[in-house]
Amino acid sequence: MYRSSVNQNFTMRSFAIIAVALFGCVMSQGGGGANFDQIFNRYAGSDNQFSQAEFSRFWLHFDDNGDGDVSKREFDQGWRQEGFPNPENAPLFFERLDRVADEVLNAQDFPHIFRLFDEDGNGSISEREFRYNWNAYF
Ligand SMILES: *[C@@H]1O[C@H](CO)[C@@H](O)[C@H](O)[C@H]1NC(C)=O
């Protein structure tokens, strides 16, 4: 009797510990952490920083019909479907990224967006620069 209630206690406690660990894991991915690593691994290349071309390629991946312009619809849908942060604000992000205001994101905007992220202006976006600005803007 005594023994089985000890076992039960032990089992309950193990479950609680596992649950807390899992919860912590999920929480630490918050704030777009998961997409952040995916973007960086996929687009930044082996030197672990963005060149202007690599950075443009990331934004252009939203261009579903391949016409060179990311429309607002393409952006909003892509942002939501890929699980990027704060999807309810995608229209505001689009407006902010559209540096040459013509309601599409394209080669006119990418150099401006690049310069916003490349804070030391040395022609490549380091992981630190990317993380800092990504978290602030989105
Ligand atoms: C830009 O600076 C980073 C360090 O902040 C360095 O790793 C990188 O090589 C530099 N890139 C260029 C093109 O100078």
Side-chain angles (χ1 to χ4, degrees), residues 49 118 120 122-124 126 129:
Q49 47 194 323
D118 178 21
D120 67 4
N122 82 343
S124 53
S126 67
E129 287 171 332

Side-chain angles (χ1 to χ4, degrees), residues 103-122:
E103 295 72 59
V104 286
L105 306 183
N106 59 22
Q108 294 193 295
D109 303 296
F110 302 146
H112 293 288
I113 305 169
F114 186 86
R115 286 205 288 276
L116 289 178
F117 278 71
D118 178 21
E119 295 200 316
D120 67 4
N122 82 343

Side-chain angles (χ1 to χ4, degrees), residues 12-75:
M12 296 266 286
R13 205 167 329 151
S14 307
F15 267 122
I17 289 168
I18 290 168
V20 167
L22 280 176
F23 185 68
C25 220
V26 167
M27 292 309 282
S28 70
Q29 301 261 314
N35 330 109
F36 179 90
D37 292 333
Q38 272 167 16
I39 296 166
F40 219 80
N41 293 339
R42 183 173 307 176
Y43 295 96
S46 54
D47 63 355
N48 233 31
Q49 47 194 323
F50 280 108
S51 66
Q52 184 145 176
E54 288 165 342
F55 200 56
S56 300
R57 209 169 299 138
F58 166 64
W59 295 111
L60 268 179
H61 93 276
F62 290 107
D63 177 20
D64 289 328
N65 68 4
D67 67 355
D69 291 335
V70 178
S71 70
K72 183 158 181 295
R73 184 191 170 99
E74 286 171 331
F75 181 84

